[in-house]
Amino acid sequence: MRCAPNPNGPWHVGHARMPAVIGTYRERYDGWFCVRFDDTDPETKRPDLEAYDAILDDLDYLGFEPDATYKASDRLETYYDHARDLIEMGGAYTCSCSGEAFSELKNSGEACPHRDKESETVLEEFEAMIDGEYSSGEMVLRVKTDIEHKNPALRDWVAFRMIDTPHPREEASEYRCWPMLDFQSGVDDHLIEVTHIIRGIDLQDSAKRQQFVYDYFGWDYPEVIHWGHVQLDDYDVKMSTSTISELIENGELDGWDDPRAPTLKSLRRRGIRGEAIVEAMTGLGTSTTDVDLAMSSVYANNRDLIDDETDRRFFVRDGNQIPLAGEPPAEAAPPLHPNHEDRGVREIPVGDSVMLEVADIPDAEEDGDRRIWLKGFGCFRFDDGVLRYTDDDIDAVREGGVDVVHWVPADESVPVRMRTIEGDVRGHAEPGVGDLEPDEMVQFERVGFARIDRHETESDDGDGDEETVAYYAHP
RNA sequence: GCUCCGAUGGUGUAGUCCGGCCAAUCAUAUUGCCCUCUCACGGCAAUGACCUGGGUUCGAAUCCCAGUCGGAGCACCA
């Protein structure tokens, strides 16, 4: 099987579907798959030189290594050779009709005057195309199909055209005569011995077009499956390479790994494993209808993968500082993981005030007993803006009525900027978070999973304040 | 306009080829309960779907026809 990307940028989440499915099939059926960059349009779909490696990198993130990698722009001579053979068989002709003129003839099922040229003439003109003697739009090579075919989309389609703009790859920059996808891909699929093709419904007619070439050469066409488009919920940004690219260009996104971008680089930075994406993608199947991928299913898969090994921490978003009263212990010691006491505890020095999330502060208007349990620490009653230690034991929680909340010490907490799909959230995390290694995953209790990205020193005011940057993964 | 394709709960999917074992599977989501010093993990339960109308048949999610809705192609893009 093959994955045939157009190297015009790093992959968005939807691109993961192809490698996810064919990679999984490869494992299941002891198959083979390659990546073939179909980079045969140096102009309107101009390849981005960095995208080749970016895509292979994304593939690696998903957990796959292709058995082979090709670039169509390395294989022009092969396509030329096959075109020559086709011409000799009378299966193609050079045509200098304008696009509009041909389109009109085609739609009325009429052949153009170039169709009946001698193959010697065609060959000569095609060699001239290869030599770059025409400029863009002057001459094309058409495959002779059936000019009266009931589906107008299949009538005498273009196989090669002239492009004046040089290909960005130096190795291919001298070529001016470029094959169209249907010719290039059709020939390659046979030569590379692809047995099964999966492609989008936008290419539904490709197999039928290419069948004409296969018939001329006497080849058997691979099995084809067409699938619909994938959409993601949860994102404001449209899943389209060009849209994302524009947003990055004009500064609305920080880059391909901005958490607000629906890209693989972004998911990776948020600490979501490639495997979680692959599972969600294979679960979509291969139906021809358009499908909506719920990000929650990616998250559920990821949670399954990381929950057990991810330690717990406290992180208070937009906290309010509240003084403590009474005689609470000087230190709290909640476990790193509730299901793994052997991993030990986090020792959190408390000080004389804490920060709580606004939503967790007991409402003075209500008639409750206004007690809350600071998780891993103890029970307090909220009164007159002060949390007074009650010395109740945990039975107070078990009996009900006392909520357990997360908190951080006001003095020794670590400022955190957490980047999410919806934008940045600021707050404070417990002291130990400042010492975590970048790339480590944490679960901020009652908030969600996040990946520690880096520890920054704010240089603006020069006071050396540290800020930890985390990327939010999911609940 | 011409030509293709498709339609199962909020989402995805199994079942459709070869009609009965389907008052429809599994996952996710949502809700509730249990567990729990997390709104995590785990356990239990509930909610919720065969596009519509005809036809064939003892019997239709499954076969046929029509309609509706949705998608795609008719590029010198991929």
Side-chain angles (χ1 to χ4, degrees), chain A residues 88-116:
Chain A
E88 281 171 15
M89 287 183 249
Y93 60 96
T94 43
C95 170
S96 55
C97 292
S98 72
E100 303 86 60
F102 186 84
S103 180
E104 262 180 51
L105 286 170
K106 179 198 68 181
N107 287 333
S108 53
E110 289 172 43
C112 82
H114 312 108
R115 200 173 201 258
D116 300 318

Side-chain angles (χ1 to χ4, degrees), chain A residues 344-411:
Chain A
V345 298
R346 305 113 69 183
E347 291 168 0
I348 308 174
V350 180
D352 49 21
S353 62
V354 297
M355 300 184 87
L356 295 185
E357 296 205 356
V358 178
D360 289 333
I361 298 171
D363 191 344
E365 305 285 313
E366 271 178 34
D367 291 326
D369 69 0
R370 298 204 296 276
R371 277 185 301 170
I372 53 172
W373 185 277
L374 299 194
K375 197 166 159 52
F377 189 37
C379 190
F380 292 79
R381 184 183 308 279
F382 184 71
D383 243 335
D384 295 330
V386 175
L387 281 170
R388 183 167 301 277
Y389 188 57
T390 65
D391 205 23
D392 287 317
D393 68 14
I394 192 63
D395 288 335
V397 172
R398 292 192 180 128
E399 286 157 9
V402 177
D403 291 334
V404 176
V405 304
H406 59 291
W407 56 280
V408 291
D411 296 334

